[in-house]
Amino acid sequence: MPAPGEPFPAAGTMTDAEREELRRHGILLTSLEELYNWGRSNSIWPLQFGLACCAIEMIAAATARFDIARFGAEIFRPSPRQADLMIVSGTVTKKMAPLVVRLWNQMPEPKYCIAMGACAISGGPFKQGYNVLKGIDRYIPVDIYIPGCPPRPEALLHGLTQLQAKIRGEHLAGPDQAQHLRPANPGELPIPDYGAHDLEPPHNPARFSPPSLPRKA
Ligand code: SF4
């Protein structure tokens, strides 16, 4: 609490300690932005689908032992139209990649993506395989990366809490406005086609640029 005569700090500039002090006096201060983000971060609905072994760990996270329900994220939805979190859990083959992008497009904004496990991040142990995508972030934006082969359920829960922290820090307006609120945010991402030798295009150029590897003369 400010000393007598001192100006009261604006809600947006208050420290957690000042808020806690006010709370002890029965005064709860918040903003519409905080309330909105708090509600969304504690009611995340993941899309119910899995791609490989990492999906077993994701399923385990929903069981009584790990209980993802504690974080408000237990309502796995079978329809992308009712989901706001895509957990890419497993190996993304090039045959499956266009379908994953299509599912992403069918999810309404605001939506988030967790790349769970080495395969979803980079192709993992199958990176050199001709048929495996070397990271889902070549096509869709990833908010949280969870390393491991496979990551344990606790790692998924940690990734989920990191995503919740990210959502709570989003701004509804201003220069740091959340991506999904910006008019330039693309409503849908291009879905790759099956080409003669690879996916066409092999990555979304707006999202990913492969590193250039200059050949030695
Ligand atoms: S990261 Fe490991 S456990 Fe997960 S899908 Fe790939 S091979 Fe399976």
Side-chain angles (χ1 to χ4, degrees):
M1 294 280 281
E6 278 186 17
F8 206 82
T13 59
M14 290 183 75
T15 64
D16 286 346
E18 288 169 333
R19 282 169 193 259
E20 189 53 39
E21 181 67 19
L22 281 175
R23 210 169 283 144
R24 288 201 307 113
H25 288 80
I27 301 170
L28 186 61
L29 274 191
T30 188
S31 64
L32 179 62
E33 186 175 83
E34 282 182 355
L35 199 59
Y36 177 79
N37 290 341
W38 172 81
R40 286 198 307 109
S41 66
N42 289 293
S43 59
I44 296 172
W45 290 7
L47 182 59
Q48 183 174 325
F49 87 114
L51 294 172
C53 6
C54 276
I56 305 299
E57 303 295 320
M58 179 182 73
I59 293 165
T63 59
R65 179 169 180 183
F66 301 102
D67 198 8
I68 200 172
R70 292 176 292 152
F71 304 90
E74 81 280 23
I75 307 183
F76 281 81
R77 302 305 300 176
S79 165
R81 293 178 179 82
Q82 299 165 349
D84 56 5
L85 170 62
M86 172 179 273
I87 303 174
V88 183
S89 53
T91 319
V92 187
T93 60
K94 289 181 180 172
K95 190 173 184 181
M96 198 65 188
L99 310 180
V100 175
V101 180
R102 188 185 302 280
L103 285 170
W104 174 259
N105 284 346
Q106 290 174 342
M107 290 167 59
E109 293 279 7
K111 55 189 171 187
Y112 305 91
C113 177
I114 291 179
M116 180 182 180
C119 283
I121 293 172
S122 65
F126 313 112
K127 187 178 176 65
Q128 302 303 329
Y130 70 94
N131 62 329
V132 172
L133 191 69
K134 294 169 183 57
I136 191 59
D137 59 1
R138 294 181 176 225
Y139 288 108
I140 63 178
V142 172
D143 297 281
I144 303 289
Y145 295 84
I146 304 177
C149 178
R152 283 185 52 87
E154 294 96 329
L156 176 58
L157 297 179
H158 180 248
L160 186 66
T161 56
Q162 294 301 301
L163 179 64
Q164 288 180 316
K166 181 174 182 178
I167 294 173
R168 282 196 291 271
E170 284 185 345
H171 295 289
L172 300 183
D176 300 330
Q177 191 178 33
Q179 184 70 26
H180 66 272
L181 295 172
R182 297 183 190 177
N185 184 45
E188 291 193 356
L189 299 178
I191 297 173
D193 283 327
Y194 301 119
H197 302 290
D198 202 347
L199 290 174
E200 303 277 357
H203 56 265
N204 178 354
R207 291 229 46 83
F208 178 82
S209 304
S212 66
L213 299 172
R215 290 178 184 274
K216 289 181 183 168

